Amino acid sequence: MALVVAQEVPTSSSMAVPHGPAGVGEARHRMRDQLRGRGVSETVIDDAVLILSELLSNACKHGRPLGDALAGDGDVRAAWRVDPAGRLVVEVTDGGGPTRPAPATPSVTAHGGRGLNIIRALADDWGVRDDVRGEVTVWVVVHRDDPHGDLAALHRRDDFASRIAAPPVAALPGLDFADAFDDLD
């Protein structure tokens, strides 16, 4: 007689991630495995993993580690859960920083500054929660875990590029390429 033990897939998870790039891959892998085990759709998982990566990168770049650790020596906390309404919520908590998390308006040639704009484009909702110890949590509602397809999520995914793309060059004030070529005549 074989004994089969069913392993319950958790509806929530929390883990300490090193303050720096070292733990991001492990957190992404763990999230992907747990959400797959719970039957979450691949589209939702892909969005959630990208969101987790952006949140962890921001926490390590702009926030301090939790507790009294020095930058690079401590941890930040990553957590995700599927709430009773079926919404996937992703959170990253750090020790706070000199600025408050807010979407930036990077230049067209900037190498960064688009993380929270990407999150806003993929998420149903997001926000920042402060606590009395100085910890800052950025939370994101990825979207409903709807096995039959979420039309709003599909529209959001299709519309992603048009919402975060740079404006056309003609719309940039003070940038007229014709003037640049006047001296060549």
Side-chain angles (χ1 to χ4, degrees), residues 136-172:
V136 174
T137 300
V138 180
W139 57 266
V140 178
V141 176
V142 178
H143 40 246
R144 293 186 59 80
D145 178 18
D146 183 357
H148 304 293
D150 178 353
L151 293 177
L154 290 174
H155 173 71
R156 194 172 47 251
R157 192 171 197 58
D158 291 341
D159 193 38
F160 175 73
S162 66
R163 286 182 286 136
I164 66 161
V169 172
L172 298 174

Side-chain angles (χ1 to χ4, degrees), residues 114-137:
R114 293 175 181 83
L116 286 176
N117 290 318
I118 291 169
I119 289 169
R120 281 189 345 180
L122 293 175
D124 284 346
D125 197 10
W126 77 280
V128 180
R129 186 174 62 241
D130 299 296
D131 80 1
V132 295
R133 296 176 303 234
E135 293 180 356
V136 174
T137 300

Side-chain angles (χ1 to χ4, degrees), residues 42-52 122 142-143 157:
E42 286 297 319
T43 301
V44 173
I45 292 172
D46 289 344
D47 289 353
V49 167
L50 176 58
I51 287 168
L52 178 66
L122 293 175
V142 178
H143 40 246
R157 192 171 197 58

Side-chain angles (χ1 to χ4, degrees), residues 37-99:
R38 187 165 173 358
V40 175
S41 73
E42 286 297 319
T43 301
V44 173
I45 292 172
D46 289 344
D47 289 353
V49 167
L50 176 58
I51 287 168
L52 178 66
S53 295
E54 291 294 337
L55 291 176
L56 286 170
S57 296
N58 286 349
C60 294
K61 184 174 183 179
H62 303 290
R64 291 183 297 271
L66 295 168
D68 296 327
L70 299 174
D73 291 336
D75 296 323
V76 295
R77 184 173 45 254
W80 52 90
R81 70 182 182 283
V82 178
D83 72 10
R87 298 177 308 169
L88 175 58
V89 180
V90 179
E91 297 181 345
V92 171
T93 303
D94 62 43
T99 60

